[in-house]
Amino acid sequence: MRQHIDSVCRASFLELRRAATIRPYLSQSATARLVAAMIISRLDYCNSVFAGLPADQVARLQRIQNNAARLVMKKRKRDHVTPLLKELHWLPVKFRCQYKIATLAYRHFEGSLPPYLSSSLCTYEPSRSLRSSKEKLLKIPKRNLKSFGERSFSFMAPSVWNSLPADLRNLPTLSQFKSNLKTFLFTQAFPQI
């Protein structure tokens, strides 16, 4: 993954430098759209594979998002970035990965997940009648390897999905689920002080 993250970082910082040269001529909203199209889309592309990465690798991706937020808000390099991310309503990279995985897990229950991904997930069905049998849960498989087994989609998706509150997992439509999931993850990423 290091090579892929190196590539994403290189390309993103190049786009940030290019955007910084034209930033004085753009409004804040135009810059936010440009950054979303050129940089944030790179971070979001296949970001579910970033889940479970070592903290130093996630921090490299987070630096890209932090610099993008500073560029949009016209802040200096040393300005604190948490209020900027909060104002832009951008989830940090770690939570963006969880968002993508939880959305894929929801689509498994909805039946719109591609078969090659859906086949790696198993719905939890207890052998006898339990309270949890009425909840939409996924079965967490046994992991083979500590490092890579926990990063696989078949392990990560049930872990993220089962950690969500029951009322969030039982929402009727994907759009409601996405909206409430982002709110839930946003409150986890930026707890009120």
Side-chain angles (χ1 to χ4, degrees):
M1 281 309 279
R2 287 187 191 279
Q3 291 175 344
H4 177 67
I5 291 175
D6 287 343
S7 172
V8 168
C9 290
R10 236 186 343 267
S12 298
F13 280 122
L14 175 65
E15 293 300 329
L16 276 172
R17 284 192 297 275
R18 287 180 177 168
T21 60
I22 62 170
R23 176 61 180 107
Y25 309 108
L26 299 174
S27 67
Q28 183 175 333
S29 63
T31 307
R33 284 193 300 265
L34 176 70
V35 165
M38 302 301 293
I39 290 105
I40 302 300
S41 63
R42 287 181 195 274
L43 294 177
D44 285 343
Y45 178 72
C46 292
N47 67 349
S48 59
V49 298
F50 297 149
L53 281 177
D56 65 322
Q57 295 299 315
V58 175
R60 292 180 64 201
L61 296 169
Q62 187 61 51
R63 273 194 296 273
I64 296 168
Q65 188 182 33
N66 294 349
N67 287 333
R70 287 186 184 105
L71 177 68
V72 170
M73 303 300 283
K74 286 189 173 180
K75 297 295 181 182
R76 294 176 310 211
K77 186 177 182 180
R78 299 294 176 201
D79 286 342
H80 193 59
V81 77
T82 304
L84 305 178
L85 292 175
K86 202 171 180 181
E87 186 177 339
L88 290 168
H89 216 266
W90 288 355
L91 285 171
V93 172
K94 174 184 165 186
F95 292 96
R96 292 175 95 82
C97 298
Q98 291 179 5
Y99 177 85
K100 178 72 73 74
I101 290 172
T103 303
L104 291 173
Y106 183 89
R107 289 180 59 202
H108 167 74
F109 288 103
E110 189 182 52
S112 64
L113 189 65
Y116 69 94
L117 286 175
S118 192
S119 65
S120 64
L121 300 176
C122 296
T123 305
Y124 173 70
E125 296 171 1
S127 57
R128 60 183 193 273
S129 180
L130 300 172
R131 280 183 287 169
S132 63
S133 61
K134 294 180 180 158
E135 295 185 25
K136 290 164 80 173
L137 295 172
L138 291 171
K139 184 178 177 184
I140 299 176
K142 293 180 181 166
R143 58 184 183 265
N144 296 333
L145 300 171
K146 174 82 172 139
S147 58
F148 295 112
E150 289 183 357
R151 286 192 44 226
S152 68
F153 179 73
S154 61
F155 183 85
M156 189 60 76
S159 301
V160 170
W161 177 258
N162 293 348
S163 69
L164 297 176
D167 58 335
L168 185 60
R169 289 192 310 258
N170 292 319
L171 288 171
T173 64
L174 182 61
S175 61
Q176 286 178 333
F177 175 75
K178 284 181 173 183
S179 175
N180 290 356
L181 176 63
K182 185 168 182 182
T183 303
F184 173 75
L185 292 175
F186 197 82
T187 57
Q188 281 193 329
F190 306 109
Q192 300 299 326
I193 298 171

